[in-house]
Amino acid sequence: MSVPEKPALEGLETKWQSRWDADATYAFDRTQSRADVYSIDTPPPTVSGSLHVGHVFSYTHTDIVARYQRMRGKAVFYPMGWDDNGLPTERRVQNYYGVRCDPSVPFDPNFTPPAEPPKPPLAVSRPNFVALCTTLTVEDEKIFEHLWRHLGLSVDWSMTYATISPVSRRISQLAFLRLLAKGQSYQLEAPTLWDIDFRTAVAQAELEDREMPGAYHRIAFAREDGAGAVEIDTTRPELIPACVALVAHPDDTRYQPLFGKHVITPLFGVPVPVRPHPLADPEKGTGIAMICTFGDLTDVVWWRELSLPVRAIIQANGTLKPIAWGSAGFPSIDAAAAQARYDTMANLTAARARARIVELLKETAALVGDIRPITHHVKFYEKGDRPLEIVTSRQWFVKTMDHRGALIDRGRAMRWFPAHMQTRYENWVNGLNGDWCISRQRFFGVPFPVWYKVRDDGTTDHDARLVPDEAQLPIDPSTDHPAGYREEQRGKPGGFVGDPDIMDTWATSSLSPFIVCGWERDQDLWARTFPMDLRPQAHDIIRTWLFSTVLRAHLELNSLPWTNAAISGWVLDPDRKKMSKSKGNVVTPMGLLEEHGSDAVRYWAAKGGPGVDTAFDAGQMKVGRRLAIKLLNASKFVLTKITPIGPVTEPLDRAMLRQLDDVVRQATEALQAYDYAAALRVTEAFFWGFCDDYIELVKRRRGRDDAGAASANGAAQTALSVMLRLFAPVLPFVTEEVWSWWQPGSVHRSAWPTSAELAGAGDDAHAYTRASEITAAIRQQRSERKLGFSVPVRVTLGGVDRALWPAIARDLLEGNNVVGDPQIDFDAPALTAAIEPVAADA
RNA sequence: GGGCGGUUAGCUCAGCGGUAGAGCACCGGCCUUACACGCCGGCUGUCACAGGUUCGAGCCCUGUACCGCCCACCA
């Protein structure tokens, strides 16, 4: 027993995190079988970003569950991952070093980044760029790990993984090749959502809508038969050269006579048909729309379902491509005029081309009336700055549309906390409008493990795929060459060429259970950890990470990846808005932990229930800090006088333990349902009552050296042991500190408390609650009559339970500084108390 | 437009069929053999609104309003 004279919270984080590390307190015991393992699919944070309060919030929730399960006797498999793959890392490296990746620059083995980021950025080769990404992410990961350790995450730090690591690249490539072999992945040249700044395809899950100013332009299309004009409204007049048809609703009597007839596009003189399609909305604009290849996703649907030609004009960089009018693709009744007009638009960005074409339209009187400004929603890549275009390109897809029903069923087979988050998942699956595009035209990521044969004429034969043997993975097709070829044949007629693309970051993240559990790498580990028990994550990535993980496990393993999904909420500003990045950076997580203490910050986080958006509240952290300090002091008090100790015989002691038994039961039930907030509430309420009422009532009895003192000591120590363990998942540092004063080993490896430990205590907690009520009544009288505790008083009581009174009378009288025998009216209808001071000299 | 949450004391939230709760804040008191980083006491509510079910409704049903989020919406 070694209780400090002045216990304090300062320094506990450093002390215990290094001790836990040295003792391997959280090491995963991989000798356990699946039934005795609890495995957690931890979200790998993006290391190129900065951690903010939201991370601290949600990772604390997961850690509470991990600690609880560990105390329940499970071998907790709780690895931490780093998401260092993909665009965010590229951006960070570009800004940090002042470089940009240019694949045409040759590799420089002696390259070192400039001391100061140069302007303009220095162009570097892809291998040099990737090396910089790797260097910087390693540094970022150290900072992240330091923060997580300080927060007290009970991660097994020997098991970290990174989404760009060789293991992750191998798993990504292997899983991709398996999909390809099964026909679940395919390559297609098709219209795809495209970010013109990043010059990459993006997936449906990465879209967001933003409100943008726009304008309706009413455009007249002359009828081919000369019988007047048809007017359409468009916000994108610059796409008139890409127009392939007009479309109206089949039931729209205004336009029915036009179906099958042709109109002539203004300026360019292209005859295009008027076609019916049910997606056309008679209420929008003039009720008839122009179909361009491609202005939006509806255009793609119309183009496909009406078998229209392609007349694409937007290039990968967002400018209009030069076109030869009068050719097969771009027919015109006046090719010369079309060419002259179009040449003034070619190579302009869409926005500039729009301004230019408005001038042309005005000159030719094809613009009807005024341009009407509107605000409308436009699709953006979530990380992008300009609206997405639709560009036809060759991309890799994973089949999702075929599996929607099965994926809904998978969602129903898992348990969701909170349950309503399942609806979001179903909404997403039901709203899918195409297969998952997994290829990105970027540099830092997992390459597709594919080469193509080069024909004798030097063109690439995308149908003649060459794939590596699984044993060779991971490979980089830009530096490795396929079996049966020599490196010199790269890009040469009769040779080969590597697939230039990398995978979407979610194509790797979706394999996190595969990566951590040892799929196709460590069969023994796999058998002990998969399917996993828990996927904790935030609700904003249900459509990406959660969905894609379910998909991959379904396609590859015909299994759920995990049985439980715990969805955490967001941290909100006090004004109820999502905590913004700027504000999140002002309040840095490390600053918070240092100011309030890790336990205090964890306490605040634990108060936010599963899936509940929670206000950032430093006040709650202060409360948490007070709780931790109270634990130190109350424990010191209980443990400072520990003898005599004996059987718990006193009714008040027995009733207290009986009450605690209820608390254990409630806290356990709550944690089983992932409701750590409810578990904390009941534990905390009991603890404060224990301190303020129980300890106060028995401290004098405890001061003696008789059987009553032995009972009080026995009960107090039992209660303390139980409470420390109930608090341990939320407050790992202070509970460990106190535990170390009098118990061997770590509280975090001790057994979660059970009713069995408290069995034999009283069979009724009534004496405990009643004693608190009587005490409160006496205290109220003292307060009203301004008689401090140190003034001895006589008491008159009413409504006290006749049978109960003798058992608790002594504790109550001593504990409230009451002298003499109280007068009691046992039959009074309600509890009453009246006091009279006793003169000190009386 | 479709969907999901939420609306309870000044603030942050719990309660989800049986007499309205906690913490914070505020006010008053107290150095009481752990803790003044403490302790005691007090004040505060047409439980968003309107109907309905029920002996009884923050709690169940219907509708409305507002807040947040997800999805759809580029003619």
Side-chain angles (χ1 to χ4, degrees):
Chain A
M1 181 76 56
S2 62
V3 182
E5 191 62 32
K6 276 293 239 184
L9 298 178
E10 281 65 35
L12 293 188
E13 288 90 350
T14 313
K15 172 181 175 183
W16 287 110
Q17 78 189 58
S18 56
R19 181 65 171 277
W20 293 332
D21 206 28
D23 293 353
T25 305
Y26 308 122
F28 172 58
D29 175 6
R30 67 172 292 171
T31 65
Q32 299 299 314
S33 63
R34 183 67 198 82
D36 296 318
V37 167
Y38 188 87
S39 59
I40 302 173
D41 187 17
T42 311
T46 305
V47 292
S48 51
S50 44
L51 288 176
H52 51 78
V53 209
H55 287 106
V56 168
F57 180 68
S58 56
Y59 281 78
T60 295
H61 297 162
T62 307
D63 187 58
I64 291 169
V65 173
R67 288 177 178 278
Y68 166 69
Q69 293 292 345
R70 192 177 291 111
M71 292 176 76
R72 293 277 286 183
K74 299 280 190 180
V76 174
F77 182 65
Y78 183 22
M80 177 64 65
W82 308 122
D83 190 8
D84 44 16
N85 150 2
L87 206 41
T89 298
E90 287 189 22
R91 277 183 146 182
R92 173 154 160 75
V93 166
Q94 286 165 3
N95 295 332
Y96 189 88
Y97 294 111
V99 298
R100 65 182 175 83
C101 182
D102 183 344
S104 68
V105 172
F107 174 61
D108 175 1
N110 299 316
F111 175 77
T112 52
E116 290 288 319
K119 281 197 176 216
L122 185 67
V124 301
S125 74
R126 174 170 155 157
N128 287 125
F129 185 77
V130 169
L132 289 178
C133 290
T134 307
T135 305
L136 190 57
T137 54
V138 165
E139 288 308 307
D140 287 339
E141 284 156 19
K142 282 184 197 157
I143 295 166
F144 274 42
E145 180 174 332
H146 178 245
L147 179 71
W148 285 151
R149 284 178 181 265
H150 200 83
L151 179 63
L153 296 191
S154 61
V155 160
D156 183 340
W157 290 105
S158 70
M159 298 193 306
T160 57
Y161 69 98
T163 54
I164 199 61
S165 71
V167 166
S168 298
R169 293 204 307 271
R170 176 174 166 271
I171 298 296
S172 273
Q173 293 186 338
L174 180 55
F176 167 77
L177 290 179
R178 296 278 177 90
L179 286 179
L180 189 59
K182 280 189 248 203
Q184 296 297 337
S185 183
Y186 62 92
Q187 196 181 39
L188 188 67
E189 173 125 21
T192 315
L193 289 160
W194 183 271
D195 188 288
I196 57 176
D197 292 312
F198 290 112
R199 298 198 194 178
T200 181
V202 301
Q204 186 186 355
E206 297 170 292
L207 305 185
E208 67 182 32
D209 284 1
R210 294 184 203 160
E211 274 207 341
M212 292 280 291
Y216 277 136
H217 304 69
R218 183 154 295 184
I219 313 286
F221 283 61
R223 288 177 58 155
E224 195 177 39
D225 56 16
V230 181
E231 294 178 1
I232 60 106
D233 275 339
T234 180
T235 56
R236 300 203 59 183
E238 75 277 14
L239 292 180
I240 291 172
C243 180
V244 289
L246 300 190
V247 64
H249 196 275
D251 301 336
D252 193 330
T253 51
R254 294 171 296 176
Y255 300 111
Q256 277 172 348
L258 284 170
F259 294 150
K261 297 205 161 66
H262 282 69
V263 294
I264 307 296
T265 66
L267 303 178
F268 306 103
V270 182
V272 295
V274 181
R275 304 282 299 270
H277 192 280
L279 268 182
D281 183 354
E283 303 295 317
K284 268 191 184 169
T286 60
I288 185 164
M290 72 172 179
I291 303 174
C292 305
T293 55
F294 296 93
D296 64 23
L297 288 175
T298 316
D299 281 339
V300 178
V301 173
W302 281 327
W303 164 77
R304 190 167 49 228
E305 297 190 2
L306 299 175
S307 303
L308 297 165
V310 177
R311 212 162 276 153
I313 60 168
I314 301 283
Q315 308 184 94
N317 65 4
T319 61
L320 270 57
K321 84 175 170 195
I323 286 177
W325 288 89
S327 63
F330 290 87
S332 173
I333 55 172
D334 184 352
Q339 194 72 52
R341 287 167 182 148
Y342 188 84
D343 285 348
T344 67
M345 297 166 60
N347 293 317
L348 298 181
T349 62
R352 286 170 182 277
R354 187 174 313 153
R356 174 63 193 136
I357 203 168
V358 167
E359 294 170 6
L360 292 170
L361 288 166
K362 283 180 176 164
E363 287 167 15
T364 56
L367 188 65
V368 181
D370 294 327
I371 297 171
R372 289 159 291 150
I374 55 159
T375 305
H376 61 168
H377 291 262
V378 182
K379 281 191 199 313
F380 279 70
Y381 175 38
E382 58 191 359
K383 297 184 175 72
D385 297 319
R386 288 198 280 177
L388 289 171
E389 293 290 352
I390 293 172
V391 169
T392 296
S393 55
R394 177 171 296 277
Q395 303 291 346
W396 285 102
F397 295 86
V398 172
K399 289 189 182 174
T400 56
M401 300 303 280
D402 289 354
H403 307 297
R404 279 190 293 177
L407 292 171
I408 294 279
D409 290 342
R410 293 288 182 200
R412 289 177 181 168
M414 73 176 81
R415 294 200 301 163
W416 297 76
F417 302 93
H420 68 255
M421 290 296 177
Q422 189 196 334
T423 310
R424 282 208 192 190
Y425 170 81
E426 295 202 3
N427 286 348
W428 174 253
V429 177
N430 286 326
L432 286 172
N433 58 26
D435 286 340
W436 177 19
C437 175
I438 57 165
S439 46
R440 297 290 180 274
Q441 289 66 53
R442 301 300 305 173
F443 316 108
F444 188 59
V446 179
F448 285 86
V450 176
W451 301 270
Y452 308 98
K453 289 184 183 173
V454 175
R455 297 190 189 89
D456 290 339
D457 64 2
T459 59
T460 301
D461 183 356
H462 286 100
D463 294 327
R465 277 199 291 269
L466 301 162
V467 296
D469 196 78
E470 288 186 354
Q472 291 175 259
L473 301 175
I475 63 127
D476 182 346
S478 72
T479 52
D480 298 316
H481 56 266
Y485 290 82
R486 286 168 289 110
E487 185 59 32
E488 303 82 71
Q489 291 176 277
R490 183 180 297 275
K492 301 279 167 54
F496 70 94
V497 67
D499 189 303
D501 292 350
I502 62 166
M503 295 182 200
D504 172 17
T505 188
W506 297 111
T508 301
S509 298
S510 60
L511 298 167
S512 56
F514 294 57
I515 294 167
V516 296
C517 295
W519 179 70
E520 295 289 328
R521 170 171 63 88
D522 185 339
Q523 199 51 45
D524 176 77
L525 182 65
W526 181 254
R528 296 174 198 278
T529 54
F530 190 91
M532 305 185 83
D533 291 279
L534 180 65
R535 158 59 71 85
Q537 63 162 79
H539 51 62
D540 53 336
I541 52 174
I542 289 175
R543 66 177 182 169
T544 49
W545 194 34
L546 191 145
F547 165 76
S548 61
T549 311
V550 172
L551 174 71
R552 300 302 291 269
H554 174 70
L555 292 180
E556 181 58 37
L557 305 163
N558 192 28
S559 161
L560 272 178
W562 3 256
T563 45
N564 300 286
I567 310 297
S568 66
W570 275 339
V571 176
L572 306 175
D573 281 342
D575 65 3
R576 303 270 80 191
K577 298 276 183 260
K578 188 186 177 188
M579 197 97 177
S580 62
K581 270 207 173 134
S582 54
K583 288 180 183 168
N585 287 342
V586 171
V587 186
T588 65
M590 195 47 99
L592 275 183
L593 297 183
E594 281 165 355
E595 180 183 352
H596 302 283
S598 295
D599 282 340
V601 175
R602 292 173 62 105
Y603 171 88
W604 159 74
K607 286 263 181 171
V612 180
D613 291 345
T614 299
F616 176 81
D617 187 354
Q620 282 302 310
M621 297 177 196
K622 292 195 167 68
V623 173
R625 183 175 176 82
R626 284 222 293 274
L627 171 63
I629 292 169
K630 191 78 174 175
L631 265 168
L632 288 176
N633 287 314
S635 303
K636 174 187 158 196
F637 185 67
V638 168
L639 297 175
T640 297
K641 180 180 182 304
I642 54 168
T643 55
I645 187 164
V648 180
T649 51
E650 288 285 330
L652 187 62
D653 303 343
R654 293 170 63 80
M656 182 275 290
L657 291 181
R658 177 64 187 77
Q659 178 85 4
L660 179 55
D661 182 31
D662 278 350
V663 170
V664 168
R665 199 173 293 114
Q666 289 168 40
T668 306
E669 265 177 38
L671 279 162
Q672 283 300 119
Y674 296 88
D675 193 352
Y676 35 82
L680 175 58
R681 268 197 305 276
V682 294
T683 305
E684 193 188 4
F686 179 87
F687 173 68
W688 286 107
F690 175 85
C691 291
D692 297 341
D693 295 346
Y694 177 75
I695 288 185
E696 292 302 327
L697 289 181
V698 303
K699 62 166 51 160
R700 279 151 202 84
R701 163 151 64 84
R702 212 173 68 101
R704 289 188 281 269
D705 279 309
D706 55 9
S711 172
N713 279 328
Q717 286 178 52
T718 298
L720 181 63
S721 165
V722 168
M723 287 187 291
L724 285 175
R725 282 174 286 151
L726 291 177
F727 276 126
V730 177
L731 309 172
F733 294 102
V734 72
T735 53
E736 186 75 319
E737 172 68 13
V738 172
W739 193 259
S740 74
W741 296 344
W742 65 315
Q743 300 284 353
S746 168
V747 69
H748 303 299
R749 306 293 308 197
S750 68
W752 185 251
T754 62
S755 289
E757 292 178 58
L758 297 161
D763 54 5
D764 188 356
H766 182 60
Y768 185 62
T769 52
R770 201 61 178 154
S772 290
E773 287 164 10
I774 296 167
T775 299
I778 297 171
R779 285 171 176 169
Q780 183 184 1
Q781 288 296 302
R782 280 189 182 278
S783 189
E784 274 179 20
R785 308 212 21 205
K786 304 212 187 301
L787 297 169
F789 182 86
S790 46
V791 179
V793 294
R794 290 181 195 284
V795 168
T796 304
L797 293 171
V800 173
D801 320 53
R802 191 186 300 272
L804 184 60
W805 177 251
I808 58 175
R810 193 165 116 176
D811 287 335
L812 272 171
L813 299 179
E814 281 184 355
N816 286 298
N817 198 14
V818 172
V819 297
D821 286 327
Q823 293 183 11
I824 304 181
D825 174 5
F826 289 109
D827 299 317
L831 185 64
T832 58
I835 61 173
E836 278 308 318
V838 176
D841 55 0

